[in-house]
Amino acid sequence: MLVMVTPIPKIAISKLTAFVLSLSTTTRSKPFPGVLDFYPRRRSYRVITSMARAGSVSIDVAGESKPDHVTEKWFSVPELRLRNHRFLVPLDYSLDSETSPKITVFAREIVAVGKEEQAMPYLLYLQGGPGFEGPRPSEASGWIQRACEEFRVILLDQRGTGLSTPLTSSSMLQFKSAKDLADYLVHFRADNIVKDAEFIRVRLVPNADPWTILGQSFGGFCAVTYLSFAPEGLKQVLITGGIPPIGKACTADDVYEAGFEQVIRQNEKYYKRFPEDVVIVRDIVNYLAESEGDGVPLPSGGILTPKGLQALGLSGLGSSTGFERLHYMLERVWDPILVPGAPKRISQFFLNAFENWHSFDTNPLYALLHESIYCEGASSRWSAHRLREKVECKFDAMKAAKEGQNVLFTGEMIFPWMFDEIHALKPFKDAADLLAKKEDWPPLYNVATLNTNKVPVAAAVYYEDMYVNFKLVMETAPQISGIRLWVTNEYMHSGLRDAGRQVVDHLLGMINGKRPLF
C-alpha cells in the first residue's frame, strides 16, 4: 500500500565548496531555546579543519586550551573511508557554557572511497533506541552504501552511548545516590540529542549549512524534535518507522494501550507460524513457577521468571527475523536427559541466549529512559506496568499455562520488576523509580512549529509495526506540514536494516520529486 500525503516541491541539493568554518556567536541566532548557551559568550571562535591534511585540527578559543572538536585520521573498510570526530559539549545546555559539566559526543564521518576531498552534502544518521550507539560499518552495504553515493554520512553515538561518554552498568555506579543518577539522566533525551546535533553541525558542516537527517525508530522521534526546535538546521528529513505521538501532556498511556493490542496480534501470528512452541512455552512457564523462588538463576546473577520469559517478545515479535530467532532459542531450551532419572533442567545455552537477547548489561539506558521518551509535562508512573494490569487476563502467564491457553509474550515495554530480576539493572532500581515519578519533563515537540513546517519530510510507515503504532502515527502525521508518507506492509520495523538501500532510495525519490505525488 502506497500513500502520499501533502506533496512537497522538488528541491536541488546545494554544492558545498569549502571546508573552512568561521563562526561568531555575536551574529549567530539561537537554533532553539537554550541552545545558544553552548556557544562561547562574548567572544568568537574559529575552527579550521583541512581536508588536505586528514585529521588535523586547529582551534583557537580565547582563554581555553582544550578543543571542543577534534578530528582524527582517515581509515578504511572495504569501499569506504571513515574518520572519527569528538566534540566536547555541555551536559546541560540551560547552564552557561563555562559552568556546565562537559561530556564527549562521538561521531563517525563516512564517504565512499575516493570522495574524501569532494564537496558533498551531509547526512546525519540518528539511531533507534533510546540508549543505543550508531552503527559500526565493516563494509559498504545497505543504506550506508546508498547514502554514500551522494552524501557525506555522519553516524552519531547519541550522548551516553558508544564512545559518547557512555553510561554503562559499571560507569553509572560512580554516582553516590539514586537521585544524583536520576538528575544526571534527565539530560539524555531527544531534546539534548538535538542540541548536540546542532553543536556538531555548526562546527563540522562548511558554512554551518543545513544538513539532511535520517532517523530510524527513536531516531525518527529525535528528527521530529529537531523539526520542532531547530528547523533552520535541516535541509530535508527522512524517517523510517519513527513518527512519535505528540500533542498531549503525557502520551505514554496511549502508546501502551495501543501497543498491547498490536502485541496480541503479533503473538497470534507467531503461534500460527510455530504452533509447536505453544506447548514448549507452557512447559517452561510451569517449570519456572514450580522452581524455588519462582524462577531459575541466570548466569550473571539475575533470575528467569515467567514474566521475564514473556519479555522475549520485546525483540522476538517485532522484527523481520524475530520469529525465527525466538523459535530457534526455544528449540534448545531443555538439556537432554543423558542419565535415566536425571531431573529436567533448562539448558545453559538458553539461559545465556536469554541474557544476550536484551543487551541491558551494555545498554542500560534503554530500560532507564524508555518511558520518558513519551513524557512532556507529566510522569509516566510506570505506564506499561499499569496498562498491563488492565489486560492481565490475557497476559497472566501462569494462568494461561495452567488452563492450556497460549502464553503471550510482551512487546517493547519496560516493567519495574525488571530492576529486581535482571542483574545489570538492579543497582538502578531507585533511580528508575524517580524517573518514572518525575513530572516536570520539558517539551519534546512544538506542534505550532510542526503545523507550519517548511522542511521537506519523507517517512516510511510500517503498517504492522509493533514498536511504533500505526494508528498513533496516522494521528501525528497530518500535524507535520508537508510530510509525505510511504505506508507499506512489505517491511517491518527493521526495514532499514533489512532492505536499507531500497528504503533510502525510495524516500530520497519521494523527497526529491522522483516519485509520483499520489
Side-chain angles (χ1 to χ4, degrees), residues 5-9 450-451 453-458 477-485:
V5 186
T6 316
I8 58 174
L450 294 173
N451 289 167
N453 171 61
K454 303 298 182 184
V455 179
V457 183
Q479 300 187 67
I480 305 174
S481 180
I483 192 172
R484 293 184 65 193
L485 300 182

Side-chain angles (χ1 to χ4, degrees), residues 270 273-274 312-313 315-329 357 467 492 494 497-498:
Y270 176 80
R273 177 81 177 277
F274 297 110
L312 286 173
S315 297
L317 297 185
S319 62
S320 62
T321 60
F323 282 14
E324 290 80 10
R325 291 170 56 227
L326 179 55
H327 172 69
Y328 294 146
M329 279 181 62
W357 190 265
Y467 302 100
M492 297 182 71
S494 55
R497 183 184 68 218
D498 302 328

Side-chain angles (χ1 to χ4, degrees), residues 440-462:
D440 57 341
W441 291 107
L444 293 172
Y445 312 106
N446 186 317
V447 176
T449 299
L450 294 173
N451 289 167
T452 58
N453 171 61
K454 303 298 182 184
V455 179
V457 183
V461 178
Y462 305 123

